[in-house]
Amino acid sequence: EALATPMRSQKFRTEAGVVYVPNLFSKICGVEKGDLTLYWDHIHSMLTPGTYLITALPFLTPVGAEGISRNAAQAFLHNGRLDPRALTASRFYRYGYLPEDTQNYILEKIQALIDYDLIVDGGPDLPAVMLSVLMNLDKELLRLLQSFDFTRAIPKLLIVDTTETLFSLEECVLLAFLNLVGFDIAVFTPTGYRNLEAHIRSDSFDTLIAGDYLRISGYLTLTAADYVVVMTNGHQHDYEVEEQVLRGPLAYIGVIGS
């Protein structure tokens, strides 16, 4: 359901000549029923020709001699604004072979990322970091971006992080950019570690927990400021969930009925 064609989604809409395409940015923690085989089978079932899969961190390599460094990127930024004419005319610009509308789209989203407050603790040179990363996009990501048709399947980025390695600032910049561009992003973190939160605002993505109904306290800490809605498949585990959450103070608890 999460990876459905956007035209079928209730959130897909057009307004004042602008097309709004819903896309996902989710972090999935835990392993359902502790079954690793089922876990990997589920991930493999999500792979399509439009999927970019990453299974190890770090996944970004340092900018090479042909890329644009942070220092060089400063020349194309003025008071937080990107100078697209100067950039596209420079020796650092690598996307001249792409269709013009794709190039314009990339440049517009780079400026949007600079403007939006999605990245935290990026330092004073954050716009230069963004430009350095985003002028060196992987060719497969560019292929997916170029072939993106919002009326059909949305391109996907799936990341599986099973270690204690945190996402670097540069990797978080790339994820935030792809989210703005329209990619569905799913970060599978079975350990539940805070791998994204160091550089991406926690309210910029959804956090989902795959766990056991019988051990909610092992995954969540509920307080008097929290709202709880109980929805289990066929109401089979409603009682088990309610029995646990009602032990502590909550701002609200609701149960979905048939």
Side-chain angles (χ1 to χ4, degrees):
E1 295 178 1
L3 303 177
T5 302
M7 287 293 285
R8 298 175 184 172
S9 171
Q10 295 180 354
K11 294 183 180 179
F12 179 93
R13 73 185 195 280
T14 60
E15 185 176 308
V18 178
V19 178
Y20 293 88
V21 182
N23 59 311
L24 298 173
F25 190 177
S26 298
K27 174 180 175 180
I28 301 93
C29 304
V31 178
E32 187 175 358
K33 300 177 181 179
D35 190 330
L36 290 176
T37 300
L38 182 64
Y39 183 79
W40 284 105
D41 285 346
H42 176 64
I43 292 174
H44 288 143
S45 71
M46 299 170 63
L47 300 180
T48 69
T51 302
Y52 192 94
L53 176 66
I54 296 171
T55 58
L57 270 66
F59 60 86
L60 280 185
T61 57
V63 175
E66 297 182 357
I68 180 171
S69 67
R70 296 188 189 186
N71 290 336
Q74 298 283 7
F76 308 104
L77 295 161
H78 308 288
N79 298 320
R81 303 299 300 176
L82 176 65
D83 185 343
R85 288 189 177 182
L87 178 60
T88 55
S90 74
R91 68 180 180 85
F92 299 110
Y93 190 67
R94 300 174 51 218
Y95 306 145
Y97 68 93
L98 295 173
E100 187 174 354
D101 58 343
T102 302
Q103 295 183 55
N104 291 336
Y105 188 57
I106 291 173
L107 294 172
E108 288 171 5
K109 292 305 181 182
I110 292 175
Q111 183 62 61
L113 184 60
I114 293 172
D115 293 339
Y116 295 163
D117 186 23
L118 297 178
I119 302 296
V120 297
D121 294 332
D125 296 332
L126 179 58
V129 173
M130 291 176 172
L131 189 56
S132 177
V133 171
L134 301 176
M135 280 294 102
N136 293 280
L137 293 176
D138 180 84
K139 287 187 176 181
E140 178 60 16
L141 287 176
L142 287 171
R143 182 191 70 79
L144 292 175
L145 177 58
Q146 185 179 352
S147 61
F148 178 28
D149 180 348
F150 66 82
T151 65
R152 299 180 183 273
I154 292 179
K156 307 176 189 66
L157 174 66
L158 302 186
I159 303 176
V160 184
D161 179 18
T162 61
T163 69
E164 298 177 1
T165 305
L166 304 181
F167 285 75
S168 68
L169 171 60
E170 291 78 7
E171 289 165 343
C172 288
V173 164
L174 178 59
L175 265 61
F177 171 76
L178 293 178
N179 179 238
L180 287 179
V181 164
F183 277 59
D184 275 344
I185 301 174
V187 180
F188 290 89
T189 310
T191 59
Y193 291 150
R194 292 173 54 83
N195 50 4
L196 288 175
E197 288 81 350
H199 293 297
I200 296 185
R201 278 177 37 183
S202 59
D203 61 354
S204 300
F205 57 89
D206 297 317
T207 300
L208 311 177
I209 300 174
D212 189 335
Y213 286 126
L214 301 180
R215 296 188 301 111
I216 293 176
S217 61
Y219 308 101
L220 294 174
T221 300
L222 299 174
T223 71
D226 292 319
Y227 291 66
V228 173
V229 177
V230 181
M231 296 182 293
T232 68
N233 188 25
H235 306 289
Q236 296 179 38
H237 300 283
D238 284 8
Y239 176 79
E240 289 89 342
V241 174
E242 294 161 18
E243 192 270 337
Q244 294 173 78
V245 299
L246 285 171
R247 292 176 182 171
L250 291 171
Y252 172 87
I253 180 169
V255 180
I256 299 300
S258 300

